Amino acid sequence: MLRPLILVSTKHLQTRCCSGFISRMRYLNRLKEDDESCAAALQNGHMFLFHRLWPLLNRTERGTLRPEPLTYSDVQSILQRLGSDRSLLKESVLIGCSEQNQAQFCLDLGELDKAAVEEQCDGTFVDLRKAFFLLAGTKAPLVAKGQALLRWHQTTRFCSATGQPTHRNQAGSQRVCSSLVYYPKMSPVVIFLVSDGKRCLLGRQPSFPPGMFSALAGFCDMGETLEEALSREVAEEVGLEVQSISYSSSQHWPFPHSSFMLGCHASVSPAHSQLTVDRSELEDARWFSLEEVTCALQVKTPPRRGNAPILWLPPKHALANRLITEWTQRQRRHEEQTDFQ
C-alpha cells in the first residue's frame, strides 16, 4: 500500500540573515511593481548577456564556466561600438539581486553578430545544455533563470485570447494586453530516485552524453497529485510498483523549456524489482550498487570525447545529484548501524 508523502524538515535549508534577506526580497518586489525604480536600478545594476538564449560565459582556471557580469555603461558602449540602437537596453529583464542589494538583469543580443559581440566582451556564447555541466554551482541558477525569462518573453509576444500584442513592464515580470495579464510559468515535473533497499535505479535518455545516467523524471499530468504522477511514471517507464514516497526538495530546471522539478525518493519491494524498460521513454535503465554510485559521484567533469564511456552523473547543482547523494548517505548510515549491531 502506498504510504503518504512525507515532507522533510526545513532545517536543511541554508540559514540566512533574515534582515538582509527581507530587505532584498522587498527591494526586488518594488522593482517589479515600480517601472521608474526598475529603470534607475538598471543603470546601476549588473547585466548578463545572451545571444539567442545562449549565455555569455568565460572559462575559469579550474576548467569550469562562469557568466561575467557587465555594467550598464559596459553594455551601452558595446552596443554603440557595434552600431546598435542603445534602446535595446530597455529589453533587459530583472533576474535577481546580489547580497549587496545590486539588481541583476539579463539581455539577449540575438539581433547582433554573435562573433562581434564575443570579441567585444572577451567571452563566448555557449549552448546552455552543454554549459550547464561546467557552470559553477552558485551561478547556474542565475543563468537558468535568465534564459527561462528571456525565452518566455520571446514566446509570449501575443495574447492567446485576443491575438493582440502583449506589452511588458520594465522589470519583465509580466506582460499585458487590453484585458489579460500574463506571468512566467513553469511546468511541474517529478524527479525521483527509486531504491529496492540495497540498490538505486538510474536511467538514461538517448539525448544524454555517453555514460551519463540520472534519476528518472516525468511531467505531471493535469489533475494529478505529485504521488500519482510519480507512481504512474515508475509504472510506465520501468514496470515497477511504488510502495512509499518521501519528498526531498525542489529546483527550477531550464530544460526543455522551464520546469519546476519536485524531487522525491521512492521505494519498491526487493521481491518485485525486475525491470521492464519502456524503450520509447528510456534508452536504458539499470540497478546500481552503492559502490558503483559512490565511484560515479567522484567524477567531477564529463569524460573527454573519444575516451571510453564511464558511469557519471549530473552536476552537483542538479537536483538529480542531490537525490543520489542523499541515497548514498542513507545507505552508508544503514550499513554502519548494521555493522555496529
Side-chain angles (χ1 to χ4, degrees):
M1 179 178 178
L2 183 65
R3 295 202 295 271
L5 182 73
I6 303 173
L7 296 180
V8 297
S9 168
T10 56
K11 67 181 180 180
H12 300 294
L13 299 177
Q14 290 184 348
T15 303
R16 297 192 183 199
C17 174
C18 291
S19 60
F21 177 72
I22 292 171
S23 172
R24 286 197 302 278
M25 293 306 101
R26 289 184 171 174
Y27 176 56
L28 275 173
N29 191 54
R30 185 168 74 251
L31 297 186
K32 292 176 183 179
E33 295 181 346
D34 187 332
D35 285 354
E36 290 186 6
S37 295
C38 189
L42 174 61
Q43 296 189 32
N44 297 293
H46 280 159
M47 301 188 66
F48 297 88
L49 298 185
F50 288 73
H51 189 280
R52 297 182 181 177
L53 301 180
W54 287 21
L56 182 72
L57 303 174
N58 291 88
R59 188 172 292 276
T60 69
E61 293 179 355
R62 296 181 178 180
T64 59
L65 297 172
R66 68 182 178 197
E68 288 296 333
L70 302 173
T71 65
Y72 180 88
S73 58
D74 287 338
V75 180
Q76 199 174 39
S77 298
I78 291 169
L79 295 177
Q80 188 173 9
R81 288 196 294 269
L82 295 178
S84 175
D85 187 350
R86 287 181 292 178
S87 65
L88 183 61
L89 284 160
K90 295 180 181 179
E91 299 299 315
S92 302
V93 176
L94 178 68
I95 54 174
C97 177
S98 71
E99 297 283 339
Q100 295 73 37
N101 272 19
Q102 188 164 38
Q104 299 164 316
F105 296 82
C106 60
L107 176 64
D108 197 296
L109 301 181
E111 65 182 52
L112 303 181
D113 181 73
K114 177 171 168 285
V117 178
E118 290 176 333
E119 183 178 356
Q120 291 290 329
C121 299
D122 193 26
T124 305
F125 290 107
V126 186
D127 182 352
L128 188 55
R129 282 187 177 274
K130 298 177 180 178
F132 212 66
F133 293 97
L134 296 175
L135 276 172
T138 57
K139 299 298 183 182
L142 193 67
V143 175
K145 182 177 181 180
Q147 188 201 62
L149 285 171
L150 289 170
R151 180 189 286 111
W152 178 75
H153 280 284
Q154 292 176 9
T155 57
T156 320
R157 296 188 183 277
F158 295 91
C159 175
S160 60
T162 66
Q164 298 299 311
T166 58
H167 304 280
R168 49 165 285 180
N169 63 343
Q170 181 65 48
S173 59
Q174 61 178 251
R175 297 187 74 92
V176 300
C177 73
S178 57
S179 58
L180 294 173
V181 180
Y182 290 91
Y183 297 96
K185 290 181 172 59
M186 298 186 293
S187 300
V189 173
V190 59
I191 179 168
F192 45 91
L193 191 69
V194 179
S195 173
D196 68 352
K198 292 186 177 180
R199 303 171 296 174
C200 73
L201 179 63
L202 301 176
R204 57 173 283 109
Q205 298 177 358
S207 59
F208 283 9
M212 178 183 153
F213 279 75
S214 182
L216 305 185
F219 287 95
C220 297
D221 282 347
M222 186 69 71
E224 279 187 325
T225 64
L226 178 62
E227 296 92 334
E228 289 169 344
L230 191 158
S231 298
R232 173 182 54 78
E233 286 289 341
V234 174
E236 289 176 355
E237 295 189 351
V238 291
L240 298 178
E241 187 169 346
V242 172
Q243 289 185 319
S244 65
I245 298 169
S246 62
Y247 173 78
S248 169
S249 50
S250 61
Q251 178 185 38
H252 168 253
W253 190 249
F255 315 115
H257 293 295
S258 188
S259 301
F260 181 47
M261 309 290 286
L262 299 157
C264 296
H265 291 276
S267 66
V268 299
S269 169
H272 301 91
S273 59
Q274 181 67 39
L275 302 179
T276 53
V277 181
D278 181 352
R279 300 294 174 177
S280 66
E281 293 275 350
L282 298 170
E283 181 182 274
D284 193 10
R286 306 180 208 165
W287 290 108
F288 290 89
S289 68
L290 175 60
E291 182 180 0
E292 290 174 311
V293 173
T294 300
C295 290
L297 285 170
Q298 305 307 312
V299 180
K300 303 303 181 184
T301 58
R304 292 183 180 275
R305 185 174 298 178
N307 290 357
I310 59 171
L311 175 63
W312 59 288
L313 305 170
K316 277 189 174 182
H317 47 266
L319 182 49
N321 187 291
R322 187 184 310 166
L323 292 173
I324 295 167
T325 300
E326 288 173 349
W327 179 80
T328 60
Q329 292 170 347
R330 291 179 186 178
Q331 291 299 112
R332 290 194 193 101
R333 286 196 298 268
H334 177 71
E335 289 186 357
E336 289 172 0
Q337 291 172 357
T338 302
D339 292 341
F340 180 76
Q341 293 173 353

